[in-house]
mmCIF file of all heavy atoms in Angstrom:
data_model
loop_
_atom_site.group_PDB
_atom_site.id
_atom_site.type_symbol
_atom_site.label_atom_id
_atom_site.label_comp_id
_atom_site.label_asym_id
_atom_site.label_seq_id
_atom_site.Cartn_x
_atom_site.Cartn_y
_atom_site.Cartn_z
ATOM 1 N N LYS B 464 5.588 -10.687 -48.018
ATOM 2 C CA LYS B 464 6.121 -11.478 -49.144
ATOM 3 C C LYS B 464 5.488 -11.068 -50.467
ATOM 4 O O LYS B 464 6.145 -11.019 -51.498
ATOM 5 C CB LYS B 464 5.857 -12.959 -48.891
ATOM 6 C CG LYS B 464 7.076 -13.677 -48.363
ATOM 7 C CD LYS B 464 6.809 -15.165 -48.286
ATOM 8 C CE LYS B 464 7.460 -15.713 -47.042
ATOM 9 N NZ LYS B 464 7.073 -17.094 -46.770
ATOM 10 N N GLU B 465 4.205 -10.788 -50.423
ATOM 11 C CA GLU B 465 3.522 -10.381 -51.657
ATOM 12 C C GLU B 465 3.973 -9.000 -52.121
ATOM 13 O O GLU B 465 4.124 -8.736 -53.303
ATOM 14 C CB GLU B 465 1.995 -10.341 -51.442
ATOM 15 C CG GLU B 465 1.365 -11.716 -51.334
ATOM 16 C CD GLU B 465 -0.041 -11.655 -50.724
ATOM 17 O OE1 GLU B 465 -0.520 -10.545 -50.398
ATOM 18 O OE2 GLU B 465 -0.641 -12.710 -50.581
ATOM 19 N N MET B 466 4.130 -8.103 -51.146
ATOM 20 C CA MET B 466 4.347 -6.703 -51.517
ATOM 21 C C MET B 466 5.807 -6.318 -51.680
ATOM 22 O O MET B 466 6.146 -5.446 -52.472
ATOM 23 C CB MET B 466 3.717 -5.774 -50.463
ATOM 24 C CG MET B 466 2.208 -5.850 -50.379
ATOM 25 S SD MET B 466 1.391 -5.707 -51.983
ATOM 26 C CE MET B 466 1.984 -4.132 -52.537
ATOM 27 N N MET B 467 6.669 -6.935 -50.870
ATOM 28 C CA MET B 467 8.066 -6.509 -50.890
ATOM 29 C C MET B 467 8.792 -7.151 -52.056
ATOM 30 O O MET B 467 9.423 -8.210 -51.913
ATOM 31 C CB MET B 467 8.752 -6.888 -49.570
ATOM 32 C CG MET B 467 8.104 -6.317 -48.330
ATOM 33 S SD MET B 467 8.429 -4.568 -48.195
ATOM 34 C CE MET B 467 8.073 -4.264 -46.473
ATOM 35 N N ASN B 468 8.699 -6.558 -53.221
ATOM 36 C CA ASN B 468 9.420 -7.077 -54.382
ATOM 37 C C ASN B 468 10.138 -5.929 -55.083
ATOM 38 O O ASN B 468 9.799 -4.762 -54.886
ATOM 39 C CB ASN B 468 8.452 -7.793 -55.325
ATOM 40 C CG ASN B 468 7.301 -6.886 -55.713
ATOM 41 O OD1 ASN B 468 7.519 -5.826 -56.305
ATOM 42 N ND2 ASN B 468 6.086 -7.283 -55.369
ATOM 43 N N PRO B 469 11.149 -6.261 -55.888
ATOM 44 C CA PRO B 469 11.971 -5.210 -56.500
ATOM 45 C C PRO B 469 11.157 -4.169 -57.272
ATOM 46 O O PRO B 469 11.475 -2.986 -57.227
ATOM 47 C CB PRO B 469 12.887 -5.999 -57.437
ATOM 48 C CG PRO B 469 12.997 -7.348 -56.807
ATOM 49 C CD PRO B 469 11.654 -7.611 -56.178
ATOM 50 N N ASP B 470 10.099 -4.593 -57.932
ATOM 51 C CA ASP B 470 9.295 -3.636 -58.704
ATOM 52 C C ASP B 470 8.672 -2.573 -57.805
ATOM 53 O O ASP B 470 8.677 -1.386 -58.124
ATOM 54 C CB ASP B 470 8.175 -4.369 -59.457
ATOM 55 C CG ASP B 470 8.722 -5.129 -60.646
ATOM 56 O OD1 ASP B 470 9.877 -4.837 -61.034
ATOM 57 O OD2 ASP B 470 7.996 -6.009 -61.152
ATOM 58 N N MET B 471 8.116 -3.035 -56.668
ATOM 59 C CA MET B 471 7.492 -2.083 -55.746
ATOM 60 C C MET B 471 8.532 -1.077 -55.244
ATOM 61 O O MET B 471 8.274 0.132 -55.227
ATOM 62 C CB MET B 471 6.849 -2.839 -54.575
ATOM 63 C CG MET B 471 6.033 -1.980 -53.612
ATOM 64 S SD MET B 471 7.031 -1.097 -52.400
ATOM 65 C CE MET B 471 7.343 -2.387 -51.208
ATOM 66 N N PHE B 472 9.700 -1.568 -54.855
ATOM 67 C CA PHE B 472 10.724 -0.653 -54.334
ATOM 68 C C PHE B 472 11.141 0.362 -55.389
ATOM 69 O O PHE B 472 11.394 1.521 -55.075
ATOM 70 C CB PHE B 472 11.945 -1.446 -53.835
ATOM 71 C CG PHE B 472 11.720 -2.023 -52.474
ATOM 72 C CD1 PHE B 472 11.305 -3.334 -52.309
ATOM 73 C CD2 PHE B 472 11.906 -1.231 -51.350
ATOM 74 C CE1 PHE B 472 11.064 -3.857 -51.059
ATOM 75 C CE2 PHE B 472 11.675 -1.746 -50.086
ATOM 76 C CZ PHE B 472 11.246 -3.060 -49.938
ATOM 77 N N LYS B 473 11.168 -0.103 -56.641
ATOM 78 C CA LYS B 473 11.551 0.809 -57.718
ATOM 79 C C LYS B 473 10.438 1.830 -57.957
ATOM 80 O O LYS B 473 10.688 3.036 -58.016
ATOM 81 C CB LYS B 473 11.805 -0.019 -58.982
ATOM 82 C CG LYS B 473 12.374 0.786 -60.112
ATOM 83 C CD LYS B 473 12.937 -0.137 -61.193
ATOM 84 C CE LYS B 473 13.255 0.646 -62.446
ATOM 85 N NZ LYS B 473 12.248 0.493 -63.502
ATOM 86 N N ASP B 474 9.212 1.365 -58.031
ATOM 87 C CA ASP B 474 8.086 2.250 -58.342
ATOM 88 C C ASP B 474 7.820 3.254 -57.226
ATOM 89 O O ASP B 474 7.533 4.421 -57.470
ATOM 90 C CB ASP B 474 6.791 1.439 -58.525
ATOM 91 C CG ASP B 474 6.828 0.630 -59.808
ATOM 92 O OD1 ASP B 474 7.728 0.899 -60.623
ATOM 93 O OD2 ASP B 474 5.965 -0.257 -59.960
ATOM 94 N N VAL B 475 7.859 2.777 -55.984
ATOM 95 C CA VAL B 475 7.390 3.608 -54.870
ATOM 96 C C VAL B 475 8.537 4.369 -54.203
ATOM 97 O O VAL B 475 8.422 5.556 -53.926
ATOM 98 C CB VAL B 475 6.651 2.749 -53.826
ATOM 99 C CG1 VAL B 475 6.224 3.590 -52.628
ATOM 100 C CG2 VAL B 475 5.432 2.084 -54.463
ATOM 101 N N PHE B 476 9.630 3.672 -53.942
ATOM 102 C CA PHE B 476 10.706 4.309 -53.170
ATOM 103 C C PHE B 476 11.877 4.762 -54.031
ATOM 104 O O PHE B 476 12.818 5.364 -53.537
ATOM 105 C CB PHE B 476 11.207 3.348 -52.085
ATOM 106 C CG PHE B 476 10.179 3.095 -51.023
ATOM 107 C CD1 PHE B 476 9.367 1.967 -51.083
ATOM 108 C CD2 PHE B 476 10.009 3.990 -49.982
ATOM 109 C CE1 PHE B 476 8.402 1.741 -50.117
ATOM 110 C CE2 PHE B 476 9.053 3.760 -49.011
ATOM 111 C CZ PHE B 476 8.239 2.629 -49.075
ATOM 112 N N ASN B 477 11.820 4.403 -55.312
ATOM 113 C CA ASN B 477 12.855 4.832 -56.230
ATOM 114 C C ASN B 477 14.230 4.289 -55.833
ATOM 115 O O ASN B 477 15.232 4.999 -55.890
ATOM 116 C CB ASN B 477 12.871 6.368 -56.284
ATOM 117 C CG ASN B 477 13.368 6.875 -57.611
ATOM 118 O OD1 ASN B 477 13.229 6.164 -58.621
ATOM 119 N ND2 ASN B 477 13.951 8.057 -57.610
ATOM 120 N N VAL B 478 14.259 3.038 -55.372
ATOM 121 C CA VAL B 478 15.536 2.392 -55.041
ATOM 122 C C VAL B 478 15.572 0.995 -55.652
ATOM 123 O O VAL B 478 14.537 0.405 -55.995
ATOM 124 C CB VAL B 478 15.752 2.236 -53.509
ATOM 125 C CG1 VAL B 478 15.926 3.578 -52.843
ATOM 126 C CG2 VAL B 478 14.625 1.436 -52.878
ATOM 127 N N HIS B 479 16.779 0.483 -55.778
ATOM 128 C CA HIS B 479 16.934 -0.919 -56.179
ATOM 129 C C HIS B 479 16.974 -1.769 -54.912
ATOM 130 O O HIS B 479 17.648 -1.405 -53.959
ATOM 131 C CB HIS B 479 18.225 -1.093 -56.972
ATOM 132 C CG HIS B 479 18.551 -2.518 -57.235
ATOM 133 N ND1 HIS B 479 17.979 -3.221 -58.260
ATOM 134 C CD2 HIS B 479 19.363 -3.383 -56.571
ATOM 135 C CE1 HIS B 479 18.419 -4.460 -58.241
ATOM 136 N NE2 HIS B 479 19.273 -4.590 -57.208
ATOM 137 N N ALA B 480 16.235 -2.857 -54.869
ATOM 138 C CA ALA B 480 16.222 -3.681 -53.655
ATOM 139 C C ALA B 480 16.498 -5.137 -53.989
ATOM 140 O O ALA B 480 15.966 -5.678 -54.959
ATOM 141 C CB ALA B 480 14.868 -3.554 -52.965
ATOM 142 N N ASP B 481 17.375 -5.751 -53.173
ATOM 143 C CA ASP B 481 17.547 -7.206 -53.228
ATOM 144 C C ASP B 481 16.851 -7.788 -52.010
ATOM 145 O O ASP B 481 17.047 -7.309 -50.895
ATOM 146 C CB ASP B 481 19.032 -7.579 -53.180
ATOM 147 C CG ASP B 481 19.727 -7.106 -54.448
ATOM 148 O OD1 ASP B 481 19.183 -7.352 -55.549
ATOM 149 O OD2 ASP B 481 20.798 -6.466 -54.323
ATOM 150 N N ILE B 482 16.032 -8.797 -52.235
ATOM 151 C CA ILE B 482 15.250 -9.335 -51.122
ATOM 152 C C ILE B 482 15.661 -10.781 -50.871
ATOM 153 O O ILE B 482 15.662 -11.609 -51.767
ATOM 154 C CB ILE B 482 13.740 -9.226 -51.437
ATOM 155 C CG1 ILE B 482 13.364 -7.750 -51.420
ATOM 156 C CG2 ILE B 482 12.909 -9.953 -50.392
ATOM 157 C CD1 ILE B 482 12.443 -7.354 -52.497
#
Side-chain angles (χ1 to χ4, degrees):
Chain B
K464 260 187 218 171
E465 287 163 1
M466 294 310 302
M467 302 287 198
N468 55 60
D470 286 344
M471 186 279 280
F472 280 97
K473 187 165 169 258
D474 289 347
V475 177
F476 293 97
N477 208 27
V478 293
H479 171 82
D481 293 313
I482 291 139

